Amino acid sequence: MTRTKKVIGGIVLFLLLLIVAIVIFIATFDWNRLKPTINEKVSTELQRPFAINGDLGVQWSRHREERGWRSWVPWPHIHAEDISLGNPQDVPGDYTARLKRIEASIAPLALLHREVYLPRITLVSPDASLKRLANGKNNWTFNLANSDDKDSQKPVSPWSFQVDDIVFDRGKIDYQDAIAKADIHLTVNPLGKPVAFAELTGSGDDKQAAAKTADNYIFGWKAEGTYNNEPLSGSGKIGGMLALRNAGAPFPLQADVRSGRTRVAFTGTLEDPLNFGGLDLRLRLAGENLGDLQGLTGVVLPDSPPYNTDGHLVASFKGKNAGRYRYEKFNGKIGQSDIHGTLEYRQGKPRPSLTGELVSNRLRFADLGPLIGADSGTASGKQAAKTKSIQPSDKVLPYDKFDTASWSKMDADVKFTGKDIEHGDALPLSDLYTHLKLDNGELLLDPLRFGMARGTLNSTIRLEGQRTPMRGRADLHARGLQLKALFPNVEAMRSSMGQLNGDAQFNGTGNSVAALLGSSNGNLRLLMNDGIISRNLMEIAGLNVGNYVVGKLFGDDQVKINCAAADVNVNNGLAQPRLFLFDTENAVIHVDGTTNFGTERLDLSINPDSKGARIVTLRSPLYVRGTFKNPSAGVKPGPLIARGAAAVVLGAVVTPAAALLALISPSGGDDNQCGPILREMNIKK
């Protein structure tokens, strides 16, 4: 054998021995000796305690799924037991996460082209404890060492990392959040047998989504605890971890959660799951009060009677539509009213916004009560208790306060149409349309329009919720209200061609309807022609005091009203008529006095001036006094004022007659009996 061959043979033998020695070393090495180094380096990098408390080992074996010569290359199978990850120093608690055991295999040949490839990671009894404190600090945000060094320019690593699947037997997550007032305990278990996505969806669009979904449901979960200090429970299903790496196929989700009085159920998918691209869900919501949804969704909604909706939610978290939530073509009920439409919520600066259009084909007017702090009759639970506890027993005007603090959290631009209004006979409304705008705490309803008694009640309401106290303004215009439609149960009124027209402007301050009216300034003008008044009409209207007054004036007779005119000035909640009269076939009835909206008290005088030989039954003036809730009426001592004196009094207060002439509907023509009397008054002034 030549010297060269001996040298080469020696080198080969040395290399073989070296390889054998390395293999023996690796196979027999006690990997637990590396634990202190690993624990220290990971703790330093994560800036929180990390420890492998149990055994750390590596086993070598061939990978069964490899083919050809690759099947002979042994793979390292790593395992570690009793792993714990602690909390940052400023977050109390024993741990963020714990694992009883973790197992993973590394593809050795992938390391040659700088790829760390783990086909599967197996977690045994994963346990996470997530916490957020009242100051906003939490234990799931990781601040890596040197991550705050803005001047450091670390080169991009040429290494890549890939995991195909993560499996576990039973997982547990505890979530405590001082801001959301949450204490939730979640358990996740393998289903054993995968459940097809299509089995939990409906038809049509849901089936198309099922065909595109990457995976079946693999895991089931259950949750219990509290959220926003309300009991919470729920269950659902999710796909397998293998589906997470497929950005092109949606990840399946299903849940049914109850929080307090609210239920949220959905079935759908998560787009681009690793990057949380968006959601595509069939979403059902139900509860006792829409206002409760603010704690769950962040969307500011008004108080309401019990509700339920079913629609299609599409949410985007990336790209130009990031922060966009669109609840499309939903159907549902609020109280006893149906509701349909599409709403879109967008996160943004300076505030998030809500836009959309809503339609109710059959609107129960009482269901709008909570919007103005009135009891709808369908509220339950806390909503009903809230209304009853705030409203004083001796008051009539709504005292429930507007939640103006929440108005500045969101802007809104929503149109609402009520096509057919369900109401009592005393409120002849036919339809409703309003355009609601909320901008930096200022609420505008323009228009707020009702179809009423074959006419229209058109108004503009502005509430400046950013002010303390709130400042409000209302402009109302009633046109063409038909008397026979206003009083459909009065036989004599059915042949009337009379109308009611009016204008009102008020402004005030306060955070309830009662406070706004109690501090209001403005005026009210009303004009009615060709009407009827009787005790029977007062009984139908439920006005006991009116029944008494009409009986004293006209007895049991039915009396025709040629014209009724009112021009009322309101100053700091005190309403005082400049002109308030009824021109009947028997007499001219003049009303004077005050109405105090702040104290809800009446102090009115009613003075009839009989016409010619037809004398009314009353020989003395009447009074109406007391509170709105318990008014009383009686006869004033002393005789009626003389006819000539009455004319002098009327002459002194008829200045508003010219303004009231503008309320005569052009359609009334010469038949409107208010025209002559107002023109005569206008001349007398």
Side-chain angles (χ1 to χ4, degrees):
M1 180 180 293
T2 64
R3 181 178 179 83
T4 301
K5 290 181 179 181
K6 289 182 179 181
V7 171
I8 293 175
I11 293 174
V12 171
L13 179 60
F14 174 76
L15 292 175
L16 289 174
L17 291 173
L18 180 61
I19 292 173
V20 170
I22 292 174
V23 170
I24 294 174
F25 174 79
I26 293 176
T28 60
F29 180 74
D30 183 5
W31 295 92
N32 289 298
R33 297 168 64 181
L34 295 179
K35 288 195 304 182
T37 302
I38 295 174
N39 293 343
E40 181 182 356
K41 287 188 174 296
V42 174
S43 298
T44 301
E45 182 65 21
L46 298 181
Q47 301 189 60
R48 63 178 70 190
F50 173 84
I52 301 174
N53 301 302
D55 183 53
L56 174 64
V58 178
Q59 294 178 337
W60 295 80
S61 64
R62 293 163 57 187
H63 195 61
R64 296 179 181 179
E65 297 180 4
E66 294 285 5
R67 296 291 182 265
W69 65 269
R70 295 175 180 270
S71 63
W72 292 94
V73 178
W75 284 39
H77 301 278
I78 304 171
H79 71 269
E81 297 180 348
D82 191 9
I83 303 169
S84 64
L85 177 64
N87 286 333
Q89 291 184 354
D90 48 5
V91 177
D94 297 331
Y95 65 96
T96 298
R98 295 186 303 194
L99 281 170
K100 186 175 181 180
R101 181 181 174 93
I102 182 172
E103 299 177 2
S105 299
I106 300 178
L109 296 179
L111 297 173
L112 299 177
H113 45 86
R114 297 180 179 179
E115 179 184 11
V116 179
Y117 172 48
L118 286 69
R120 173 176 293 182
I121 296 177
T122 301
L123 308 177
V124 180
S125 300
D127 180 4
S129 178
L130 307 180
K131 290 186 177 183
R132 182 167 66 165
L133 307 180
N135 59 12
K137 294 182 179 179
N138 62 71
N139 65 347
W140 61 78
T141 300
F142 290 86
N143 296 316
L144 302 181
N146 302 320
S147 61
D148 295 331
D149 187 358
K150 298 181 180 180
D151 296 330
S152 63
Q153 296 182 354
K154 296 182 180 180
V156 178
S157 174
W159 288 82
S160 62
F161 182 80
Q162 178 178 327
V163 178
D164 276 354
D165 199 8
I166 301 175
V167 298
F168 53 87
D169 53 352
R170 175 185 173 90
K172 186 179 75 169
I173 301 174
D174 293 333
Y175 175 68
Q176 294 179 319
D177 191 333
I179 296 177
K181 301 175 183 177
D183 187 0
I184 301 172
H185 309 283
L186 182 74
T187 58
V188 183
N189 288 292
L191 293 174
K193 179 182 178 181
V195 177
F197 178 81
E199 291 184 15
L200 297 181
T201 57
S203 59
D205 295 339
D206 290 334
K207 286 187 176 180
Q208 294 179 8
K212 299 178 182 179
T213 304
D215 203 357
N216 295 320
Y217 293 106
I218 303 299
F219 296 99
W221 59 267
K222 289 186 178 181
E224 61 180 11
T226 59
Y227 183 87
N228 197 25
N229 291 332
E230 295 278 2
L232 179 142
S233 63
S235 62
K237 299 176 180 65
I238 59 174
M241 298 299 105
L242 179 61
L244 291 174
R245 58 174 292 195
N246 191 347
F251 181 78
L253 302 169
Q254 185 265 329
D256 189 344
V257 179
R258 296 176 184 268
S259 176
R261 301 170 292 162
T262 302
R263 180 182 180 185
V264 180
F266 61 80
T267 301
T269 57
L270 172 64
E271 310 291 331
D272 191 8
L274 282 182
N275 296 305
F276 211 60
L279 292 170
D280 189 339
L281 307 173
R282 180 179 179 183
L283 175 64
R284 300 175 180 89
L285 300 169
E288 294 187 8
N289 182 3
L290 279 171
D292 293 340
L293 286 176
Q294 183 179 351
L296 285 173
T297 65
V299 181
V300 180
L301 295 171
D303 288 334
S304 76
Y307 68 92
N308 65 79
T309 68
D310 185 348
H312 180 207
L313 176 68
V314 179
S316 300
F317 306 113
K318 296 173 59 181
K320 63 179 182 180
N321 290 322
R324 172 178 173 265
Y325 301 79
R326 185 174 177 84
Y327 195 29
E328 299 177 334
K329 299 178 181 178
F330 64 83
N331 301 294
K333 293 187 71 175
I334 299 178
Q336 299 178 33
S337 306
D338 68 288
I339 190 74
H340 317 272
T342 294
L343 292 173
E344 183 173 305
Y345 179 77
R346 282 183 177 267
Q347 296 175 334
K349 300 293 184 180
R351 292 166 299 279
S353 64
L354 180 71
T355 60
E357 294 192 21
L358 303 174
V359 174
S360 176
N361 296 315
R362 185 68 172 172
L363 175 64
R364 182 176 180 267
F365 191 73
D367 293 332
L368 299 177
L371 293 175
I372 60 171
D375 189 358
S376 68
T378 58
S380 58
K382 289 185 177 179
Q383 178 61 25
K386 174 184 174 183
T387 302
K388 292 179 180 179
S389 63
I390 291 178
Q391 185 68 27
S393 59
D394 60 338
K395 300 296 183 181
V396 173
L397 299 177
Y399 272 69
D400 194 16
K401 292 185 177 181
F402 294 97
D403 185 16
T404 57
S406 63
W407 293 4
S408 60
K409 297 179 181 178
M410 183 186 77
D411 292 342
D413 189 333
V414 179
K415 298 176 181 179
F416 177 77
T417 301
K419 293 184 177 180
D420 185 17
I421 296 180
E422 177 185 334
H423 51 78
D425 293 337
L427 195 63
L429 300 174
S430 57
D431 57 86
L432 162 67
Y433 173 78
T434 188
H435 186 180
L436 180 150
K437 291 184 179 180
L438 182 61
D439 183 11
N440 193 24
E442 182 174 301
L443 178 66
L444 175 66
L445 298 172
D446 185 19
L448 174 59
R449 183 170 61 241
F450 292 94
M452 185 174 184
R454 302 178 189 175
T456 60
L457 180 60
N458 203 347
S459 59
T460 299
I461 309 294
R462 186 184 300 273
L463 301 175
E464 299 177 30
Q466 76 275 30
R467 294 177 176 267
T468 303
M470 181 179 73
R471 185 166 69 183
R473 177 178 175 83
D475 293 291
L476 303 97
H477 308 278
R479 292 293 183 271
L481 275 60
Q482 304 295 314
L483 297 184
K484 58 185 175 183
L486 272 174
F487 306 101
N489 295 326
V490 180
E491 181 69 28
M493 199 76 79
R494 293 179 183 175
S495 60
S496 172
M497 299 301 294
Q499 292 185 357
L500 175 67
N501 296 284
D503 289 327
Q505 295 85 33
F506 299 106
N507 63 79
T509 58
N511 284 63
S512 68
V513 172
L516 287 169
L517 289 175
S519 62
S520 62
N521 297 285
N523 61 78
L524 167 69
R525 295 189 179 97
L526 291 175
L527 200 63
M528 183 188 78
N529 70 289
D530 192 19
I532 297 291
I533 191 168
S534 67
R535 294 184 66 178
N536 180 52
L537 178 60
M538 296 296 100
E539 289 177 1
I540 292 174
L543 300 176
N544 295 328
V545 169
N547 189 335
Y548 172 85
V549 170
V550 172
K552 284 293 183 181
L553 288 172
F554 309 112
D556 293 330
D557 293 336
Q558 183 174 276
V559 178
K560 181 181 178 181
I561 298 178
N562 299 321
C563 177
D567 189 330
V568 181
N569 183 61
V570 183
N571 185 15
N572 197 27
L574 186 67
Q576 188 166 10
R578 291 180 290 186
L579 173 66
F580 194 173
L581 63 84
F582 294 84
D583 178 43
T584 74
E585 58 186 350
N586 292 341
V588 176
I589 311 299
H590 177 65
V591 182
D592 198 4
T594 60
T595 299
N596 195 319
F597 289 101
T599 60
E600 295 195 18
R601 297 193 66 85
L602 299 163
D603 188 2
L604 300 174
S605 297
I606 301 166
N607 299 284
D609 179 20
S610 62
K611 293 183 175 179
R614 290 182 293 180
I615 306 299
V616 297
T617 61
L618 185 65
R619 298 295 180 180
S620 297
L622 290 174
Y623 68 82
V624 176
R625 297 169 184 161
T627 66
F628 289 3
K629 191 161 189 175
N630 296 299
S632 61
V635 179
K636 285 186 175 182
L640 284 169
I641 57 177
R643 179 178 172 84
V648 173
V649 173
L650 284 174
V653 298
V654 293
T655 303
L660 288 169
L661 279 169
L663 293 179
I664 296 179
S665 174
S667 62
D670 295 334
D671 295 333
N672 194 312
Q673 298 188 57
C674 284
I677 188 172
L678 291 177
R679 292 189 189 98
E680 182 181 351
M681 289 180 176
N682 195 37
I683 294 173
K684 287 182 180 180
K685 71 176 184 178

